[in-house]
Amino acid sequence: MTTTSVNIEDLRTLIAGVLEIEPEEVTDEAHFTDKLEIDSLLMLEISTRVETEYGVPENTVVISGARTLAELHAFVTSNLVGETSAGPVIRPRPLSDPAVRLFLFHHAGGSHLLYRGWAEHFPQDWELCLLEAPGRGQMQALPLIDDCDRLVDYFHTAIAPLLDRPFGFFGHSMGSLIAYQLTRRLHHEGDPLPDWLGVSAYGASRGEAGADGRPHLMSDDDLRGWLRNVGGSTPQLLDNDAVWHKFAPVFRNDFKLLDTWAPPRAPEPLPVPLSVFGGRRDKLIGEDRLLSWQAFTTHFRGLERYEGDHFYLMNHRRPLAAAITAAMRSAAA
């Protein structure tokens, strides 16, 4: 991992150069779309220049979700300094002797960037471990995995050395399925179990696609339209053909994993406290699907819903981190 420093003023000058405006017009909190009128093509140009200047992995900036200069600076910094990676495990704030480890699993088509900036909202003696599936982000060189059991195998091997202290799992969307299946694997093999399992924006009773069809088999136009409708990705990715064609295979791979997963018949409830989270305006997962998790645990800790769609968590990091911290501490008491 490079140790190149990232000066926010250099980023300000870079963006101003692309927009052909004065640097002082690019304030730290000016929204790229609303205030600076940066469209998908301009964002792609900014991304390319940032990636070239700092060696950030290709196309990660454009899908990072950065909406202001401050967020872009935090993203680039997190990718260059203060973040260590041990294969698929990224630790934004590595600790030599953490009191707790919290493992975070990302959504379909996503990467560990979903949880960028989360570490600052958790206790200082907690170590967050962001899981990165192969074929994206820092793991771009590895082949994609389109089977749930195989991806669980991959993550099981990666985190096994880190289960030497209290730990918890939290997954969003596809990440919920992986976190649940990994917990089942640990239980079946007699390995240490998480003190707590958190699942977000995913229903327990059946595969994710459900009545919406099988996204991995949709045409390109249909898949992009479906993702726009359900709020499944950023406009920068969906509206730019070059970026979309780069990431479409990742979406199809992950949706195939979800579409082909066969839920266990009458699974034994896990002896792990389980909490559920979701967005009130989520078009993919309603309250009934979220509550279906009650049958999959002996210690159901309830459902918390936040304002927003399938990616509600992007706008509720601080309260969600507080809820996760409280749930973990209550489960461990």
Side-chain angles (χ1 to χ4, degrees):
M1 181 74 67
T2 179
T3 57
T4 303
S5 62
V6 185
N7 187 307
I8 194 168
E9 296 306 323
D10 292 339
L11 286 176
R12 194 188 317 278
T13 301
L14 182 153
I15 293 174
V18 173
L19 301 181
E20 298 183 348
I21 62 177
E22 294 300 319
E24 56 265 26
E25 297 181 57
V26 185
T27 62
D28 290 6
E29 301 300 334
H31 195 283
F32 286 162
T33 303
D34 298 339
K35 298 293 185 181
L36 300 178
E37 299 182 346
I38 297 177
D39 60 18
S40 59
L41 289 177
L42 285 172
M43 192 64 204
L44 183 61
E45 175 64 19
I46 291 169
S47 301
T48 300
R49 294 197 187 187
V50 169
E51 290 155 7
T52 300
E53 180 71 20
Y54 296 102
V56 178
E58 182 183 2
N59 289 318
T60 55
V61 173
V62 78
I63 64 162
S64 68
R67 297 165 295 182
T68 66
L69 173 62
E71 291 186 1
L72 178 61
H73 180 251
F75 165 74
V76 177
T77 299
S78 71
N79 273 264
L80 298 180
V81 297
E83 184 175 275
T84 62
S85 172
V89 183
I90 293 93
R91 292 179 286 179
R93 190 177 62 199
L95 300 174
S96 60
D97 187 27
V100 172
R101 285 194 175 105
L102 177 63
F103 296 89
L104 303 172
F105 300 80
H106 63 74
H107 58 294
S111 70
H112 80 280
L113 296 178
L114 176 67
Y115 301 110
R116 174 177 48 85
W118 276 44
E120 64 187 79
H121 301 304
F122 285 87
Q124 289 297 308
D125 59 353
W126 285 30
E127 183 174 73
L128 267 61
C129 299
L130 320 185
L131 277 295
E132 187 96 283
R136 68 209 78 202
Q138 301 184 41
M139 312 300 291
Q140 286 186 56
L142 298 180
L144 295 160
I145 296 177
D146 62 8
D147 177 81
C148 184
D149 287 341
R150 286 175 51 220
L151 187 55
V152 168
D153 287 342
Y154 179 79
F155 284 143
H156 186 193
T157 299
I159 71 171
L162 302 174
L163 306 184
D164 59 345
R165 64 201 61 231
F167 66 94
F169 288 163
F170 176 87
H172 179 72
S173 199
M174 180 185 78
S176 296
L177 171 60
I178 302 304
Y180 166 69
Q181 288 291 86
L182 182 51
T183 304
R184 291 186 68 220
R185 175 72 60 80
L186 295 175
H187 183 48
H188 176 73
E189 298 188 3
D191 290 337
L193 291 176
D195 288 346
W196 173 83
L197 171 63
V199 294
S200 168
Y202 190 84
S205 59
R206 54 188 170 87
E208 182 73 7
D212 294 305
R214 297 166 67 84
H216 82 283
L217 298 177
M218 291 180 180
S219 69
D220 243 28
D221 287 344
D222 287 346
L223 181 55
R224 288 167 89 169
W226 182 79
L227 286 168
R228 285 191 187 94
N229 182 56
V230 302
S233 190
T234 62
Q236 289 92 342
L237 189 154
L238 296 176
D239 295 343
N240 187 283
D241 288 343
V243 177
W244 167 253
H245 290 306
K246 171 75 174 179
F247 287 93
V250 179
F251 277 99
R252 292 192 182 281
N253 175 87
D254 292 354
F255 285 132
K256 181 180 179 182
L257 182 153
L258 291 166
D259 293 344
T260 58
W261 175 63
R265 294 185 177 182
E268 178 186 359
L270 290 170
V272 174
L274 186 152
S275 302
V276 186
F277 304 86
R280 293 190 179 93
R281 293 183 285 106
D282 191 334
K283 296 180 180 180
L284 277 175
I285 305 297
E287 183 175 3
D288 59 334
R289 295 281 312 282
L290 295 172
L291 288 172
S292 67
W293 281 105
Q294 294 180 78
F296 289 72
T297 175
T298 57
H299 306 286
F300 185 64
R301 293 303 179 96
L303 165 64
E304 292 192 30
R305 301 182 78 189
Y306 296 79
E307 186 57 37
D309 57 16
H310 195 63
F311 283 92
Y312 72 92
L313 74 176
M314 301 297 289
N315 296 318
H316 299 283
R317 292 176 184 172
R318 188 180 298 276
L320 191 54
I324 292 172
T325 301
M328 282 274 291
R329 285 173 169 167
S330 175

